[in-house]
Amino acid sequence: MNLLRKILFPFSILYGFITSIRNFLFDKGILKSHTFDLPIIAVGNLSVGGTGKTPQIEYLIRLLSSKYKVATLSRGYKRKSEGFVLADANSNAAVLGDEPFQFYQKFPNIQIAVDANRKNGIEQLLSQPSKPEVILLDDAYQHRKVKAGFYVLLTSYGDIYADDFMLPTGNLRESRSGSKRANIIIVTKCPENLSIEEQNKIRIRLKLNSNQELYFSYIDYDEFIYSESKSIKVDEIKNADKLLLAGIAKPEPFFAYLQSNNDEKLVFPDHHHFSENDLVNIKDKAQNKLIITTEKDYVRLKNSVLKEQLYYLPIKSSFLSDSDNFDKTILNYVGTSTRNR
């Protein structure tokens, strides 16, 4: 695969040229970006693959939802529905996509919507009887037909965009210069003991503008695993025989946190739709063992034949330091924008 990616380098140059022209046209106003009269925060990345967008959106929901009417708007990747869908009691992962359905289940007091056309999605949200006061756009950094008021750019530790190349040679969706649109850049999935010296080295590599803020976060795992009706302390099951199951972009930290020598691992593609054959094979491999999966996979599997032995491990995004400054920046943007409406 690495050799093939190198062979395809000329296509990376072409792809980079095309995306740069597109960004130039939006920057100059030749292609139109739509703005809206409420605070909109876009969370995304420059690269394909998992950078931790879901836990970061959840962090923002927790921060804002006690003070404002919050809505999230996602594309609804690999959902089986089309157009605008506002989550309700009849929704499921097939209708919304796995991450939006996860938001809906965890945060029932906010509005969760999906629409590949973000402009239409925002207009539909604003036409609701109880319209939101702030909208969080999930994975919308490259969706420039809508101009958000605030941009949060994520990049994974160990896979920094400054060291990457354009698709298909690398993983970048657009040029590294796209990072200049961000108000805040977060290096996600860091080691908890990442030194100040190493943080400063990364800061230099990212070449931030003077008006950009940089933060470092890590994945914080829950002390319990959960089923529909039960919870078990992770310490109690770490050394037990179990089957670990993940269908996410980068599952290695999930496995490392839970795995003991006798555990079996099953890895599926990101956003995988589990077939009946998949479920039968998983159940055969698990026998009577616990099956532990990610929260994102759990929303698709919880009503399957696996449900009696299925548990999930929640995660959240936590900052290594300066979380108060991050919160203050976000709250100041939303508060100022709301007051000016």
Side-chain angles (χ1 to χ4, degrees), residues 209-262:
N209 287 340
S210 59
N211 63 329
Q212 293 179 305
E213 298 180 14
L214 179 65
Y215 297 89
F216 296 84
S217 70
Y218 64 96
I219 295 298
D220 196 2
Y221 291 97
D222 204 291
E223 295 180 358
F224 290 82
I225 58 170
Y226 299 87
S227 69
E228 196 75 3
S229 59
K230 189 177 178 182
S231 62
I232 306 174
K233 290 200 76 169
V234 170
D235 289 345
E236 295 177 14
I237 54 90
K238 271 231 174 153
N239 295 320
D241 289 349
K242 53 192 177 294
L243 185 145
L244 304 179
L245 168 65
I248 59 176
K250 296 176 182 177
E252 293 81 10
F254 166 76
F255 290 134
Y257 183 74
L258 291 172
Q259 190 173 11
S260 62
N261 292 334
N262 297 323

Side-chain angles (χ1 to χ4, degrees), residues 4-243:
L4 178 60
R5 283 192 162 206
K6 290 176 182 177
I7 292 172
L8 293 173
F9 183 68
F11 293 96
S12 295
I13 297 174
L14 177 61
Y15 181 64
F17 177 74
I18 292 170
T19 57
S20 294
I21 291 295
R22 177 179 180 269
N23 280 329
F24 174 81
L25 294 175
F26 274 112
D27 291 341
K28 296 301 180 182
I30 299 169
L31 293 178
K32 185 171 177 57
S33 294
H34 298 272
T35 58
F36 292 89
D37 188 25
L38 83 165
I40 297 176
I41 301 173
V43 177
N45 49 25
L46 296 185
S47 65
V48 297
T51 54
K53 292 184 294 293
T54 300
Q56 188 57 52
I57 289 284
E58 291 184 357
Y59 183 101
L60 292 171
I61 293 171
R62 293 186 184 99
L63 175 64
L64 295 168
S65 60
S66 63
K67 302 175 181 67
Y68 301 99
K69 295 178 183 177
V70 174
T72 69
L73 179 61
S74 308
R75 175 176 47 160
Y77 184 62
K78 286 197 173 181
R79 62 188 170 113
K80 295 182 178 179
S81 60
E82 294 182 357
F84 176 81
V85 179
L86 183 64
D88 60 24
N90 297 315
S91 299
N92 55 38
V95 171
L96 296 177
D98 45 19
E99 286 113 334
F101 186 54
Q102 180 178 316
F103 297 152
Y104 176 69
Q105 294 215 300
K106 292 180 78 169
F107 305 103
N109 295 325
I110 74 168
Q111 292 173 302
I112 308 296
V114 293
D115 196 334
N117 183 334
R118 301 308 209 286
K119 175 179 176 289
N120 181 69
I122 294 170
E123 290 171 345
Q124 292 292 329
L125 281 168
L126 294 179
S127 71
Q128 300 301 312
S130 178
K131 65 181 183 180
E133 295 174 315
V134 55
I135 295 176
L136 306 177
L137 296 183
D138 179 23
D139 195 13
Y141 199 80
Q142 283 77 36
H143 196 92
R144 300 204 60 188
K145 290 183 179 180
V146 168
K147 182 176 175 58
F150 199 94
Y151 287 89
V152 178
L153 177 64
L154 310 182
T155 186
S156 293
Y157 175 82
D159 194 18
I160 302 293
Y161 64 75
D163 303 328
D164 207 346
F165 295 94
M166 295 292 299
L167 288 165
T169 295
N171 293 313
L172 293 183
R173 299 171 172 177
E174 63 171 301
S175 166
R176 303 166 196 167
S177 62
S179 64
K180 302 307 179 186
R181 298 197 302 276
N183 301 89
I184 283 177
I185 297 172
I186 305 176
V187 181
T188 63
K189 302 184 179 181
C190 295
E192 289 187 51
N193 60 351
L194 186 67
S195 68
I196 297 297
E197 180 182 11
E198 181 63 22
Q199 292 178 37
N200 287 335
K201 288 180 181 178
I202 293 173
R203 181 183 294 273
I204 292 170
R205 285 157 58 196
L206 293 180
K207 299 178 181 178
L208 274 66
N209 287 340
S210 59
N211 63 329
Q212 293 179 305
E213 298 180 14
L214 179 65
Y215 297 89
F216 296 84
S217 70
Y218 64 96
I219 295 298
D220 196 2
Y221 291 97
D222 204 291
E223 295 180 358
F224 290 82
I225 58 170
Y226 299 87
S227 69
E228 196 75 3
S229 59
K230 189 177 178 182
S231 62
I232 306 174
K233 290 200 76 169
V234 170
D235 289 345
E236 295 177 14
I237 54 90
K238 271 231 174 153
N239 295 320
D241 289 349
K242 53 192 177 294
L243 185 145

Side-chain angles (χ1 to χ4, degrees), residues 320-332:
L320 295 180
S321 61
D322 298 327
S323 61
D324 288 346
N325 288 339
F326 176 88
D327 295 354
K328 182 178 178 181
T329 297
I330 296 293
L331 291 170
N332 183 62

